[in-house]
Amino acid sequence: MIIEIEHLVKRFGQLEVLKDVSLSVNKGEVISIIGSSGSGKSTLLRCINLLESYQAGTIKFESKDILGSIKGINQYRAQVGMIFQSFNLFAHFSVLENCVIGQVKVLKKKRTDAEHLAMEILDKVGLASFANASVMTLSGGQKQRVAIARTLCMEPKVLLFDEPTSALDPEMVGEVLQVIKSLAKEHRTMMIVTHEMAFAKEVSDRVLFMDNGIILEEGTPNELFNHPKETRTKEFLQRFRNQ
Amino acid sequence: MITLLSKIPQDLFGAAGYIFSKYGSLFFFGAKNTLYIALSGTIIGLIIGLGIGILRALPVYDYDSKLKHWIVKTVRIITSVYVEVFRGTPMMVQAVFIYNAFLPIFKNSKLLAGIVIVSINTGAYMAEIIRSGIQSLDKGQNEAARSIGMNNTQTMIFVILPQAIKNAFPAIGNEFVVNIKDTSVLNVIGVTELFFQSTTVAGIIYRFSDTFFVSALIYLFLTYSTTLILKYIEGKMQISGFDGPSSQTTPLIKGHYKAKEPKQ
Ligand SMILES: Nc1ncnc2c1ncn2[C@@H]1O[C@H](COP(=O)(O)OP(=O)(O)OP(=O)(O)O)[C@@H](O)[C@H]1O
Ligand SMILES: [Mg+2]
């Protein structure tokens, strides 16, 4: 087990967004998280990456509490990559520099080594020829692939995707999903919040349905999509089919 | 004396030409000091502003220690007192107060006094410019930096500040232009800048409108050429964002990077 979440509670003021969430993630597992808007999917990922604090419960990474030491938080974050809906590329850097900066400053790698790995990974996401381009000139799909490359350059042990294709024009969704699928094939540990049901079905080992701050139902893609048990899950999937 | 005064042409432009040719060196001396004070004051002010602006925008997170929360809160209060006091009072008043409060230091160097006053005053404005430059950035920039493991300092230096300063550049440059004009209040403590020199000239020839017409033209020349230079640099900074392959089909968005609104 690489991540263990126990009785996680997250509140924004009075609003309880995560209500006693427990979850274990195995090494190499691909988990998709689905659920309606506001159910707490993003918040769960953001808590795992410590972009949000939480009020109760524990999150363990490789059996150690992630809040163990403040100093360790940054090292921990580097091992848990996050890919955002809105890319959040460093706007003032080139594509290559986006992929190099973290390696040099956080991992303290030599620039030449960092650039070498960055080019390798950019090649993998099909953007090696854009290494020197300013990120402002890229299309949405390209931006998200750079964002994935930037995260991969840190050689993280876990990848967290928060609706990686929701901000994209439909014709660009495919190229990004393709990259994520190739990562799934490498048996990387991933948690993917998505509204792309067909994709979730295809890549996931396990699918979680979140509703109102809890994980209401979980199972294999076949169990969850074809034989959902809970009424809320059925309703949610029904709504999706009708769209 | 009568003969001297009677030689000055009666029309404004004629008089201005005469005054400039005769007292050009006095104006030049004043203009040089004005530029010197304005430029050093703006640069030192920017440095102060960067320090204070960063302190004021320092993030604290729930998992940080109680002590850190307390320190950040105290720092915010102290810095906001500085900013409010120096933005909320006239620089002329600040000049008289500071000059006299530190008279032993400044008595023999009014130029130094001028630079110190303009720097402290500008620092307060710069602090606000830098802080709003930092806070106007998409919070995703900060989150992305933290999510790859950067600490607060690294995030600030490598991700936030370069963008904040770039975005704030027009406002920073504007402070310089404002300072070229506002150094004129240093006349009140007798700094020999352009306004002071103009008063001297006007006092010699008893022609105030004509003399100050000349100084107005010099001020205008200084501010306008500064503005042109700043605009030029601004243009350069935007273009430097584009170094992509020429085959690029997607349009170049000038200025800020904007993420598309998430679809619902
Ligand atoms: N910073 C915040 N301050 C206050 N409330 C917040 C904040 N962030 C999220 N929330 C609230 O927490 C709840 C869960 O939000 P979250 O973003 O986790 O939902 P989600 O499942 O990711 O939804 P979506 O599919 O729309 O992205 C929502 O009600 C939201 O309004
Ligand atoms: Mg979300």
Side-chain angles (χ1 to χ4, degrees), chain B residues 109-127:
Chain B
S109 180
K110 295 195 170 171
L111 202 59
L112 177 67
I115 291 171
V116 169
I117 290 156
V118 174
S119 299
I120 297 178
N121 177 274
T122 306
Y125 286 91
M126 289 289 191

Side-chain angles (χ1 to χ4, degrees), chain A residues 46 53 85 89 92 134 137 169, chain B residues 62 141 143 158 241 250 262:
Chain A
R46 292 168 60 83
S53 59
Q85 185 174 357
L89 290 176
H92 58 309
S134 153
T137 64
D169 290 333
Chain B
D62 291 352
Q141 293 287 310
E143 291 185 349
F158 302 117
T250 45

